[in-house]
Amino acid sequence: MDRLAIPAGARVLVLGTGTAGQLLAVMARRNGASEVTVAGSSPFKLGIAKGLGADRIVAVDRKPRAIQEALGRISPRGFDVVIDATGVVSMLESAVELASLGGMILVYGVAGAADRLVVSPYEVFKRELTIMGSYAQALNIGRAVSYLENLPEDISRLVTHRFGLGEYGLALETLGSRSCIKAVVLPSS
């Protein structure tokens, strides 16, 4: 949120409904967004996003044209802030297309080291886009924990699965499930 400095009243789009996408959507609302749209492919996770306060949820696959058509109907002039929490190149390409004139794009999802994003420098220039990344900000962990502890939203619902230490393998398998947002492994008592 420090990197974005969301302008008051901004229309924000979050691509991705994993833990990071869910938290970024909540924090966008708390940091000035007037409208938050969350897009993802899992109906279960989109329902969680709606329950956490997203104004709109949109089911999309990872095909750029379909993403742009579905979200372009919602905000024909684009979104002021687009946050990619997927790390999927096709979603990142859509993020650039869905940003409004003067829009900001935050690359938060982790793409592969060999992945490449093709962006037209002319479009960045003409549309006055800002593209930024955000990595680990270790110095802000204490602030982040305090922030999350004081949210009025019940973010505990993001922990969708709990496992004992002996079920570690099952916990890892579950992470790939469309119904898993966050799995926690707890030591047995």
Side-chain angles (χ1 to χ4, degrees):
M1 289 297 109
D2 291 346
R3 297 266 301 142
L4 272 176
I6 296 173
R11 292 164 298 134
V12 175
L13 168 63
V14 178
L15 298 170
T17 54
T19 307
Q22 301 277 0
L23 289 173
L24 288 163
V26 168
M27 291 189 302
R29 167 66 80 207
R30 297 272 160 228
N31 284 276
S34 65
E35 179 181 294
V36 176
T37 300
V38 176
S41 60
S42 166
F44 171 74
K45 293 177 183 181
L46 287 167
I48 297 287
K50 186 70 173 170
L52 288 173
D55 296 294
R56 269 190 219 92
I57 53 171
V58 181
V60 296
D61 57 24
R62 292 182 174 178
K63 296 182 179 103
R65 173 156 287 168
I67 295 166
Q68 292 162 19
E69 286 175 7
L71 293 164
R73 283 191 296 273
I74 290 170
S75 189
R77 289 185 280 182
F79 294 87
D80 304 310
V81 176
V82 182
I83 301 170
D84 174 73
T86 68
V88 175
V89 173
S90 62
M91 297 295 271
L92 283 163
E93 290 169 349
S94 295
V96 173
E97 295 300 319
L98 291 164
S100 64
L101 291 175
M104 294 185 287
I105 298 119
L106 176 66
V107 179
Y108 194 85
V110 181
D115 289 345
R116 295 292 175 258
L117 174 64
V118 178
V119 177
S120 163
Y122 180 74
E123 281 298 307
V124 173
F125 159 76
K126 181 178 105 178
R127 294 172 47 212
E128 298 184 356
L129 299 175
T130 301
I131 302 173
M132 67 184 82
S134 183
Y135 185 59
Q137 296 186 11
L139 299 176
N140 295 328
I141 290 174
R143 275 183 39 223
V145 169
S146 176
Y147 185 89
L148 293 174
E149 287 176 337
N150 290 294
L151 284 174
E153 294 86 359
D154 179 15
I155 61 170
S156 67
R157 70 178 81 185
L158 296 179
V159 177
T160 55
H161 295 77
R162 290 173 175 77
F163 299 92
L165 196 53
E167 300 171 299
Y168 181 75
L170 181 58
L172 289 177
E173 287 176 26
T174 303
L175 290 174
S177 165
R178 294 171 61 86
S179 67
C180 180
I181 295 176
K182 184 58 101 181
V184 176
V185 176
L186 303 165
S188 58
S189 45

